[in-house]
Amino acid sequence: MRVRKFRTTLAVAAVAVVTSLLASACSGGGAATSDGGKVTLRYWAWAPGSAKEVAEFNRTHPNIRVVHTDAGGGEQSSAKLLAAMRADNAPDLALVENTALPRMIVAGAPLDITDYVSDVRKNYSPGSWAQTTFGGRTYALPQDVGPMALLYRKDVFDRYGVKAPVTWEDYRKAAATIKARNPKLTMASLSTDGWGWYAAVAAQAGDDWWSVHGDTWTVGIDGAHSRTMMDFFQGMYEDGLIAADPILTPTYNQQLNNGTMLSWPSAVWAPGVVYGVAPKTAGKWALAPLPRWNADDPTVSFQGGSSVVVTSKSSHPEEAAEFAKWLNAGDQGAKMILNVQNGYPAALSGQKAATSQKPPALMPEQSDYYKVVAGIAKHTRPVTWGPNTDVAATAFTDAMNAAVHNGSSWADVLTVTQKAVVNDLKKQGFKVSEG
């Protein structure tokens, strides 16, 4: 088996760890087995419908058998994968959230699959492909993406003569107009633990919270655009136009149901989430592009999204990559992501197929829903996530909770977060530059 050593793009300090992991893969470790010429691969994925996708692949690929396991999503899944790597019991493939991918790479979990998947690069937009590529090398195939968008209560906006906002300043004015007419209504809640949301909106404004050049990480969390963004939303909060409470809690869900929470600046997957907790509000919502910082710039970033890695423990990376390409980059797999998972496919073919779909159940009358989504997806700017997003999440949330409680500067939350991230990167042995 041919294995490529992990390059120093992400961190010089990680090279020894990754090289060791790859060496163990070459020496016969790995999850795949071979039974009478049929290769068996283990695949961990939490996405709804993954088992049906695997069954279809197995039906049409007689020489490969994929066994699916739901190992749980988010941080739980990433932690389990790293533990399995250490125990030499990792699957051949795993679904990984894009925010966690750099940490997984540093830990040596994903294999560099550039040589196996370069033929399907054309099947993705540059923004989607960039989510899984570091230093010119590819470590995963994008499965679903979340171009940012605005979900809003069209019926309430119409009642008060407010149009879908084009800019963030329009958004603020819309909130003020509605609040003046009905003080019980709140435009949105931007939760204090929503560090990833703020990072994505900062990217929309032009700031990268992390970037990597060669073997040096640049941290720009405390950037000028990011501080302006925080000041803007703090102003909305202090004027009573938005809340800073947790989302998707019983209280929040009640606000969605009774019509007092009017919008969710999130991503194109949001309608499915809201329909799941407030189905009786179907027909009252609409989706629009996320408000812009500049009226002439339609750029948005990604909120959420996941990709499939081939693990460095797999004894059959070529077959594993074949499954990953079928599911994520091929027409049939992409359509299943759309129709079985109810996700928004990263592959362009899946996005094109979506334009002929019926709109989501939450907005059955928005016939142009998927055309709006396709237009949004054309103007995406990728977010570069760092190798210590967990540190950023903790530092941001703690500082943001304190700022809201004490009435202190939200922008200074970024200063605290940047310091924590930089100190942690240096402690791990990374070369660091502050942007």
Side-chain angles (χ1 to χ4, degrees):
M1 156 184 169
R2 188 172 140 208
V3 178
R4 186 182 302 276
K5 283 188 177 182
F6 188 86
R7 294 165 55 121
T8 58
T9 304
L10 288 179
V12 173
V15 173
V17 176
V18 179
T19 303
S20 173
L21 286 168
L22 295 184
S24 69
C26 287
S27 63
T33 60
S34 182
D35 180 16
K38 177 182 288 190
V39 171
T40 298
L41 305 171
R42 293 167 59 201
Y43 172 48
W44 286 6
W46 66 83
S50 294
K52 291 183 179 180
E53 294 163 349
V54 166
E56 180 61 20
F57 176 85
N58 289 339
R59 186 184 71 81
T60 56
H61 295 74
N63 296 325
I64 303 174
R65 176 174 174 264
V66 179
V67 178
H68 168 252
T69 298
D70 184 346
E75 291 296 322
Q76 179 186 12
S77 179
S78 298
K80 285 184 177 180
L81 180 58
L82 292 179
M85 293 290 296
R86 291 190 292 269
D88 201 25
N89 189 34
D92 297 273
L93 306 107
L95 190 63
V96 174
E97 288 188 332
N98 290 338
T99 53
L101 185 56
R103 281 187 286 139
M104 296 294 101
I105 296 172
V106 169
L111 186 69
D112 176 350
I113 56 174
T114 306
D115 293 343
Y116 297 117
V117 301
S118 59
D119 58 318
V120 297
R121 180 172 183 170
K122 63 182 181 300
N123 295 14
Y124 294 92
S125 70
S128 295
W129 190 260
Q131 298 287 289
T132 60
T133 301
F134 299 86
R137 310 304 299 178
T138 302
Y139 294 91
L141 276 184
Q143 181 168 111
D144 62 280
V145 291
M148 297 189 76
L150 178 68
L151 183 64
Y152 70 101
R153 281 291 297 258
K154 187 175 186 300
D155 62 327
V156 178
F157 276 49
D158 288 348
R159 184 186 312 153
Y160 294 109
V162 176
K163 296 181 179 180
V166 174
T167 66
W168 282 112
E169 190 57 43
D170 293 338
Y171 185 71
R172 180 189 176 99
K173 291 177 180 177
T177 297
I178 294 173
K179 193 77 171 182
R181 299 280 298 277
N182 189 340
K184 295 181 180 180
L185 304 183
T186 301
M187 182 59 99
S189 185
L190 305 184
S191 179
T192 54
D193 65 356
W195 73 274
W197 185 88
Y198 284 101
V201 177
Q204 180 196 29
D207 276 355
D208 289 312
W209 282 16
W210 288 270
S211 58
V212 61
H213 304 281
D215 59 0
T216 301
W217 280 96
T218 299
V219 181
I221 296 172
D222 201 16
H225 294 301
S226 298
R227 293 187 68 85
T228 299
M229 170 195 69
M230 297 297 281
D231 287 340
F232 177 84
F233 290 116
Q234 182 170 12
M236 289 192 70
Y237 175 77
E238 291 176 346
D239 288 346
L241 304 179
I242 60 172
D245 302 319
I247 63 173
L248 300 177
T249 61
T251 298
Y252 181 87
N253 294 345
Q254 182 181 12
Q255 292 173 316
L256 291 178
N257 277 281
N258 65 25
T260 57
M261 186 63 64
L262 303 185
S263 73
W264 187 13
S266 48
V268 299
W269 40 256
V273 177
V274 172
Y275 185 76
V277 299
K280 292 183 179 180
T281 64
K284 298 178 179 180
W285 296 85
L287 190 88
L290 192 74
R292 311 170 181 181
W293 294 110
N294 183 329
D296 297 324
D297 184 3
T299 301
V300 297
S301 196
F302 293 104
Q303 180 72 18
S306 56
S307 301
V308 173
V309 303
V310 175
T311 72
S312 57
K313 290 289 187 179
S314 177
S315 297
H316 297 281
E318 185 172 358
E319 290 83 357
E322 182 178 349
F323 168 68
K325 290 194 288 187
W326 177 88
L327 175 59
N328 300 308
D331 292 350
Q332 186 175 8
K335 288 179 180 178
M336 293 192 77
I337 291 169
L338 177 67
N339 296 308
V340 178
Q341 285 188 22
N342 294 316
Y344 190 64
L348 294 173
S349 62
Q351 294 179 9
K352 182 178 180 181
T355 60
S356 61
Q357 297 280 108
K358 292 182 179 179
L362 187 68
M363 56 268 295
E365 297 177 359
Q366 190 176 353
S367 59
D368 66 344
Y369 174 85
Y370 280 110
K371 290 183 179 179
V372 171
V373 171
I376 293 170
K378 289 180 180 178
H379 303 287
T380 50
R381 182 182 190 272
V383 181
T384 298
W385 301 108
N388 58 347
T389 51
D390 52 338
V391 172
T394 299
F396 182 95
T397 302
D398 290 347
M400 191 67 173
N401 281 327
V404 170
H405 179 75
N406 299 327
S408 55
S409 169
W410 288 21
D412 287 349
V413 170
L414 303 177
T415 307
V416 173
T417 306
Q418 167 128 350
K419 182 178 180 181
V421 167
V422 168
N423 288 344
D424 179 72
L425 287 174
K426 290 179 177 178
K427 183 179 180 179
Q428 292 188 57
F430 291 87
K431 291 183 179 180
V432 183
S433 171
E434 296 193 55

